[in-house]
Coordinates of all heavy atoms in Angstrom, one line a residue:
Q227 N 128.9 74.3 85.3 CA 129.4 73.0 85.7 C 128.5 71.8 85.2 O 129.0 70.8 84.7 CB 129.6 72.9 87.2 CG 130.7 73.9 87.7 CD 130.9 73.8 89.2 OE1 130.1 73.1 89.9 NE2 131.8 74.5 89.7
S228 N 127.2 72.1 85.3 CA 126.3 71.0 84.9 C 126.2 70.9 83.4 O 125.9 69.8 82.9 CB 124.9 71.3 85.4 OG 124.4 72.5 84.9
A229 N 126.6 71.9 82.7 CA 126.5 71.9 81.2 C 127.6 71.0 80.6 O 127.5 70.5 79.5 CB 126.6 73.3 80.6
V230 N 128.8 71.0 81.3 CA 129.9 70.3 80.8 C 129.7 68.8 80.6 O 129.9 68.2 79.6 CB 131.2 70.5 81.7 CG1 132.3 69.7 81.2 CG2 131.5 72.0 81.7
P231 N 129.2 68.1 81.7 CA 129.0 66.6 81.5 C 127.9 66.3 80.6 O 127.9 65.3 79.9 CB 128.6 66.2 82.9 CG 128.2 67.4 83.7 CD 129.0 68.5 83.1
T232 N 126.9 67.2 80.5 CA 125.8 67.0 79.5 C 126.4 67.0 78.1 O 126.0 66.2 77.3 CB 124.8 68.1 79.7 OG1 124.3 68.1 81.0 CG2 123.6 67.9 78.7
T233 N 127.2 68.0 77.8 CA 127.9 68.1 76.5 C 128.7 66.8 76.2 O 128.7 66.2 75.1 CB 128.7 69.3 76.4 OG1 128.0 70.5 76.7 CG2 129.3 69.4 75.0
G234 N 129.4 66.4 77.3 CA 130.2 65.2 77.1 C 129.3 63.9 76.8 O 129.6 63.1 76.0
A235 N 128.2 63.8 77.5 CA 127.3 62.7 77.3 C 126.7 62.7 75.9 O 126.6 61.7 75.3 CB 126.2 62.8 78.4
N236 N 126.4 64.0 75.5 CA 125.8 64.1 74.1 C 126.9 63.6 73.1 O 126.6 63.0 72.1 CB 125.4 65.5 73.8 CG 124.1 65.8 74.6 OD1 123.3 64.9 74.9 ND2 123.9 67.1 74.8
S237 N 128.1 64.0 73.3 CA 129.2 63.7 72.4 C 129.4 62.2 72.4 O 129.5 61.6 71.3 CB 130.5 64.4 72.9 OG 131.6 64.0 72.0
E238 N 129.4 61.5 73.5 CA 129.5 60.1 73.6 C 128.3 59.4 72.9 O 128.5 58.4 72.2 CB 129.6 59.6 75.0 CG 130.9 60.1 75.7 CD 131.0 59.6 77.1 OE1 130.0 58.9 77.6 OE2 132.0 59.9 77.8
F239 N 127.1 60.0 73.1 CA 125.9 59.4 72.5 C 126.0 59.4 71.0 O 125.8 58.4 70.3 CB 124.7 60.2 73.0 CG 123.4 59.8 72.3 CD1 122.8 58.6 72.6 CD2 122.9 60.6 71.2 CE1 121.6 58.3 72.0 CE2 121.7 60.2 70.6 CZ 121.1 59.1 70.9
W240 N 126.4 60.6 70.4 CA 126.5 60.7 69.0 C 127.6 59.9 68.4 O 127.5 59.3 67.3 CB 126.6 62.2 68.6 CG 125.3 63.0 68.8 CD1 125.1 64.0 69.7 CD2 124.1 62.8 68.0 NE1 123.8 64.4 69.6 CE2 123.2 63.7 68.6 CE3 123.7 61.9 67.0 CZ2 121.9 63.8 68.1 CZ3 122.4 62.0 66.6 CH2 121.5 62.9 67.1
T241 N 128.7 59.8 69.2 CA 129.8 58.9 68.7 C 129.4 57.5 68.7 O 129.7 56.7 67.7 CB 131.0 59.1 69.7 OG1 131.4 60.4 69.7 CG2 132.2 58.2 69.2
G242 N 128.6 57.0 69.7 CA 128.1 55.7 69.7 C 127.1 55.4 68.5 O 127.1 54.4 67.9
K243 N 126.3 56.4 68.2 CA 125.3 56.3 67.1 C 126.1 56.2 65.8 O 125.7 55.4 64.9 CB 124.4 57.5 67.1 CG 123.4 57.6 68.2 CD 122.3 56.6 68.1 CE 121.4 56.9 67.0 NZ 120.2 56.0 66.9
R244 N 127.2 57.0 65.7 CA 128.0 56.9 64.4 C 128.6 55.5 64.3 O 128.7 54.9 63.2 CB 129.0 58.0 64.4 CG 128.5 59.4 64.0 CD 129.6 60.3 63.7 NE 130.4 60.6 64.8 CZ 130.2 61.6 65.7 NH1 129.2 62.5 65.5 NH2 131.0 61.8 66.7
K245 N 129.1 55.0 65.4 CA 129.7 53.7 65.3 C 128.7 52.6 65.0 O 129.0 51.7 64.2 CB 130.4 53.3 66.7 CG 131.6 54.1 67.0 CD 132.2 53.6 68.3 CE 133.5 54.4 68.6 NZ 134.1 54.0 70.0
Q246 N 127.5 52.7 65.5 CA 126.5 51.8 65.3 C 126.1 51.8 63.8 O 125.9 50.8 63.1 CB 125.2 52.1 66.1 CG 124.1 51.0 66.1 CD 123.0 51.3 67.0 OE1 122.9 52.4 67.6 NE2 122.1 50.4 67.2
R247 N 125.9 53.0 63.3 CA 125.6 53.2 61.8 C 126.7 52.6 61.0 O 126.4 52.0 59.9 CB 125.3 54.6 61.5 CG 124.0 55.2 62.1 CD 123.9 56.7 61.8 NE 122.7 57.2 62.4 CZ 122.4 58.5 62.4 NH1 123.2 59.4 61.8 NH2 121.3 59.0 63.0
F248 N 127.9 52.8 61.4 CA 129.1 52.4 60.6 C 129.1 50.8 60.5 O 129.2 50.3 59.4 CB 130.4 52.9 61.2 CG 131.6 52.2 60.6 CD1 132.1 52.7 59.4 CD2 132.3 51.2 61.3 CE1 133.2 52.1 58.8 CE2 133.4 50.6 60.7 CZ 133.9 51.1 59.5
W249 N 128.9 50.2 61.6 CA 128.9 48.7 61.6 C 127.7 48.1 60.9 O 127.7 47.1 60.3 CB 128.9 48.2 63.1 CG 130.3 48.4 63.7 CD1 130.6 49.1 64.7 CD2 131.5 47.7 63.2 NE1 132.0 49.1 65.0 CE2 132.5 48.2 64.1 CE3 131.8 46.8 62.2 CZ2 133.9 47.8 63.9 CZ3 133.1 46.5 62.0 CH2 134.1 46.9 62.9
R250 N 126.5 48.9 61.0 CA 125.4 48.4 60.2 C 125.7 48.5 58.7 O 125.3 47.6 58.0 CB 124.2 49.3 60.6 CG 123.5 48.9 61.9 CD 122.3 49.8 62.1 NE 121.6 49.5 63.4 CZ 120.6 50.2 63.9 NH1 120.0 51.2 63.2 NH2 120.0 49.8 65.0
A251 N 126.3 49.6 58.3 CA 126.7 49.7 56.9 C 127.6 48.6 56.5 O 127.5 48.1 55.4 CB 127.3 51.1 56.7
V252 N 128.6 48.3 57.3 CA 129.6 47.3 57.0 C 128.8 45.9 56.9 O 129.1 45.2 55.9 CB 130.7 47.2 58.1 CG1 131.5 45.9 57.9 CG2 131.5 48.4 58.1
Q253 N 127.9 45.6 57.8 CA 127.2 44.4 57.7 C 126.3 44.3 56.5 O 126.3 43.3 55.8 CB 126.3 44.3 59.0 CG 127.1 44.0 60.3 CD 126.2 44.0 61.5 OE1 125.0 44.3 61.4 NE2 126.7 43.8 62.7
T254 N 125.7 45.4 56.1 CA 124.9 45.5 54.9 C 125.7 45.2 53.7 O 125.3 44.4 52.8 CB 124.2 46.8 54.8 OG1 123.4 47.1 56.0 CG2 123.3 46.9 53.6
I255 N 126.9 45.8 53.6 CA 127.8 45.6 52.5 C 128.2 44.2 52.4 O 128.2 43.6 51.3 CB 129.0 46.6 52.6 CG1 128.5 48.0 52.4 CG2 130.0 46.2 51.5 CD1 129.6 49.1 52.7
L256 N 128.6 43.6 53.5 CA 129.0 42.2 53.5 C 127.9 41.3 53.1 O 128.2 40.3 52.3 CB 129.6 41.8 54.9 CG 130.9 42.5 55.4 CD1 131.2 42.1 56.8 CD2 132.0 42.1 54.4
I257 N 126.7 41.5 53.5 CA 125.6 40.7 53.2 C 125.3 40.8 51.7 O 125.0 39.8 51.0 CB 124.3 41.1 54.0 CG1 124.5 40.7 55.4 CG2 123.1 40.4 53.4 CD1 123.4 41.2 56.3
L258 N 125.4 42.0 51.1 CA 125.2 42.2 49.7 C 126.2 41.5 48.9 O 125.9 40.9 47.8 CB 125.1 43.7 49.4 CG 123.9 44.5 49.9 CD1 124.1 46.0 49.6 CD2 122.6 44.0 49.3
I259 N 127.5 41.6 49.4 CA 128.6 40.9 48.7 C 128.4 39.4 48.7 O 128.5 38.7 47.6 CB 129.9 41.3 49.3 CG1 130.3 42.8 49.1 CG2 131.1 40.4 48.7 CD1 131.5 43.2 49.8
A260 N 128.0 38.9 49.8 CA 127.8 37.4 49.9 C 126.6 37.0 49.0 O 126.7 36.0 48.4 CB 127.5 37.0 51.4
A261 N 125.5 37.8 49.0 CA 124.4 37.5 48.2 C 124.7 37.5 46.7 O 124.3 36.7 45.9 CB 123.2 38.5 48.5
F262 N 125.6 38.5 46.3 CA 126.0 38.6 44.9 C 126.8 37.4 44.5 O 126.6 36.8 43.4 CB 126.8 39.9 44.7 CG 127.3 40.1 43.3 CD1 126.4 40.4 42.3 CD2 128.6 39.9 43.0 CE1 126.9 40.6 41.0 CE2 129.1 40.1 41.8 CZ 128.2 40.4 40.7
I263 N 127.7 37.0 45.4 CA 128.6 35.8 45.1 C 127.7 34.6 45.0 O 127.9 33.7 44.0 CB 129.6 35.6 46.2 CG1 130.6 36.8 46.2 CG2 130.3 34.3 46.1 CD1 131.6 36.7 47.4
M264 N 126.7 34.4 45.8 CA 125.8 33.2 45.7 C 124.9 33.3 44.4 O 124.6 32.2 43.9 CB 124.9 33.1 46.9 CG 125.7 32.7 48.2 SD 124.6 32.4 49.6 CE 124.0 34.1 49.9
L265 N 124.6 34.5 44.0 CA 123.7 34.6 42.8 C 124.5 34.6 41.5 O 123.8 34.4 40.5 CB 123.0 36.0 42.9 CG 121.9 36.0 44.0 CD1 121.3 37.4 44.0 CD2 120.8 35.0 43.7
I266 N 125.8 34.7 41.5 CA 126.6 34.7 40.3 C 126.3 33.5 39.4 O 126.1 33.6 38.2 CB 128.1 34.8 40.6 CG1 128.4 36.3 41.0 CG2 128.9 34.4 39.4 CD1 129.9 36.5 41.3
P267 N 126.3 32.2 40.0 CA 126.0 31.1 39.2 C 124.6 31.1 38.5 O 124.4 30.7 37.4 CB 126.2 29.9 40.1 CG 127.0 30.4 41.2 CD 126.7 31.8 41.4
I268 N 123.6 31.6 39.3 CA 122.3 31.6 38.8 C 122.2 32.7 37.7 O 121.5 32.5 36.7 CB 121.3 31.9 40.0 CG1 121.3 30.8 41.0 CG2 119.9 32.1 39.4 CD1 120.4 31.0 42.2
I269 N 122.8 33.8 37.9 CA 122.8 34.9 36.9 C 123.5 34.4 35.6 O 123.0 34.6 34.5 CB 123.5 36.1 37.4 CG1 122.8 36.7 38.6 CG2 123.7 37.2 36.3 CD1 123.5 37.9 39.3
W270 N 124.6 33.6 35.8 CA 125.3 33.1 34.6 C 124.4 32.1 33.9 O 124.3 32.1 32.6 CB 126.6 32.5 35.0 CG 127.5 32.0 33.9 CD1 128.5 32.8 33.3 CD2 127.4 30.8 33.1 NE1 129.0 32.1 32.2 CE2 128.4 30.9 32.1 CE3 126.6 29.7 33.3 CZ2 128.6 29.8 31.3 CZ3 126.8 28.6 32.4 CH2 127.8 28.7 31.4
I271 N 123.8 31.2 34.6 CA 122.9 30.2 34.0 C 121.7 30.9 33.2 O 121.4 30.6 32.1 CB 122.3 29.3 35.0 CG1 123.5 28.4 35.5 CG2 121.2 28.4 34.4 CD1 123.0 27.5 36.7
F272 N 121.2 32.0 33.9 CA 120.0 32.7 33.3 C 120.5 33.3 31.9 O 119.8 33.3 30.9 CB 119.5 33.7 34.2 CG 118.3 34.5 33.7 CD1 117.1 34.0 33.8 CD2 118.5 35.8 33.2 CE1 116.0 34.7 33.2 CE2 117.5 36.5 32.7 CZ 116.2 36.0 32.7
L273 N 121.6 34.0 31.9 CA 122.1 34.6 30.7 C 122.5 33.6 29.7 O 122.2 33.8 28.5 CB 123.3 35.5 31.1 CG 123.1 36.7 32.0 CD1 124.4 37.4 32.3 CD2 122.1 37.7 31.3

C-alpha cells in the first residue's frame, strides 16, 4: 500500500520535470529566434 503513492509521487515528479524542461526549451528557442531577428540587420551590414 505504501509503495503505490510513492510510485505516483515519482511519476508526478518526473512529469513535472519534463514539463519544466519542455518550457525551458521553448523559452530558449524563442530567445534564439528573437536574437537572430535582431542580429539580421547587423549581419546584413557586415556582409
Side-chain angles (χ1 to χ4, degrees):
Q227 292 178 354
S228 60
V230 175
T232 303
T233 304
N236 288 335
S237 178
E238 292 178 1
F239 172 77
W240 289 112
T241 302
K243 291 288 288 184
R244 283 196 294 269
K245 288 182 179 180
Q246 188 177 13
R247 290 176 181 174
F248 171 76
W249 286 115
R250 283 182 180 176
V252 171
Q253 291 175 357
T254 302
I255 293 173
L256 291 176
I257 292 173
L258 291 175
I259 293 174
F262 179 73
I263 292 174
M264 289 187 292
L265 288 174
I266 284 177
I268 297 178
I269 295 173
W270 188 91
I271 291 174
F272 181 81
L273 294 177

